[in-house]
Amino acid sequence: QDAALGAWSSDGTSAALWSRAGVLQVWTGLPASPTLSFSQTAEAAAGIALADGGASALVWSDTGLLAVDANGIRALHTEPVSAAAYRAGSSDWAAVTPTQLLRSTVEPRPLTVSGPGAVAFSQEAVLVAGKGAVEVIGESSASVPCECDGTSLEPLAGTNIFRLTDLQAPSLAVYDGSEAEPRILYIPSEGRRQ
């Protein structure tokens, strides 16, 4: 297959691959005995998220958000979606459009962060990274200012610590929610050095 996108489940036992031909494959039993769990046609994909155990996947693009599993595909949202994620160990999911947070368990809600580029679950909240801030949405909502454009919420070692910027940025911005007061840390990376 001509794989164009891929994603791992957070438990590391499953992987999803999407080809330019519009086929999504989900493999389970990793790393010991990889098995093709299911394959479905998903014509457009800008990103993929995979639930632990590989039972379902989310595929998003500027045409919307799809839920994909062995039984087929169903549309969850029909407007542009910029990111989606599953909660670790659960089938709960979250996704962001340019203006709102979509959740599997609650009604959509407006976002205060502009240009949302990533979404992730922390231990007690949903994080949305965007231009100049990370919105923390839990029982209450707060915004943590950032001198960056948050394009990622890649989990790092530790509790509630996520990389916000890509590795090509002049400095890496890291969201640290491990303390009572969340903060953004900046790590010089000498931009684009390999």
Side-chain angles (χ1 to χ4, degrees), residues 98-116:
T99 59
Q100 63 183 347
L101 172 68
L102 310 172
R103 297 273 308 269
S104 56
T105 57
V106 294
E107 292 295 313
R109 63 164 284 157
L111 291 171
T112 59
V113 68
S114 66

Side-chain angles (χ1 to χ4, degrees), residues 54-132:
S56 63
L58 297 171
V59 176
W60 66 89
S61 69
D62 59 2
T63 61
L65 178 67
L66 303 173
V68 184
D69 61 25
N71 297 318
I73 297 177
R74 65 191 162 95
L76 299 173
H77 192 73
T78 57
E79 295 175 9
V81 169
S82 53
Y86 280 99
R87 181 187 300 274
S90 168
S91 60
D92 292 347
W93 56 264
V96 288
T97 72
T99 59
Q100 63 183 347
L101 172 68
L102 310 172
R103 297 273 308 269
S104 56
T105 57
V106 294
E107 292 295 313
R109 63 164 284 157
L111 291 171
T112 59
V113 68
S114 66
V119 62
F121 286 92
S122 70
Q123 284 188 323
E124 299 172 355
V126 175
L127 306 175
V128 179
K131 294 183 184 202

Side-chain angles (χ1 to χ4, degrees), residues 7-15 49-54 86-90 155:
W8 287 94
S9 59
S10 66
D11 64 2
T13 64
S14 307
L50 186 60
D52 285 352
Y86 280 99
R87 181 187 300 274
S90 168

Side-chain angles (χ1 to χ4, degrees), residues 1 20 22 35-36 64 76-77 80 82 93 104 126 132 143 149-150 152 155 174-175 187:
Q1 267 209 45
R20 287 183 176 80
T35 303
L36 179 62
L76 299 173
H77 192 73
S82 53
W93 56 264
S104 56
V126 175
S143 185
D149 286 345
S152 171
V174 175
Y175 170 86
I187 302 165

Side-chain angles (χ1 to χ4, degrees), residues 1 5-6 15-19 21-27 36 38-43 45 47-50 56-59 67-69 73:
Q1 267 209 45
L5 292 172
L17 297 171
W18 179 80
S19 71
V23 176
L24 178 74
Q25 291 184 343
V26 172
W27 293 80
L36 179 62
F38 63 87
S39 179
Q40 299 285 359
T41 300
E43 291 181 13
I48 307 166
L50 186 60
S56 63
L58 297 171
V59 176
V68 184
D69 61 25
I73 297 177

Side-chain angles (χ1 to χ4, degrees), residues 147-149 151 163-173 186-193:
E147 294 177 17
C148 69
D149 286 345
T151 58
R163 179 174 51 83
L164 296 172
T165 53
D166 69 27
L167 300 175
Q168 302 303 314
S171 68
L172 297 177
Y186 301 95
I187 302 165
S189 66
E190 297 181 33
R192 300 196 176 136
R193 192 177 81 170

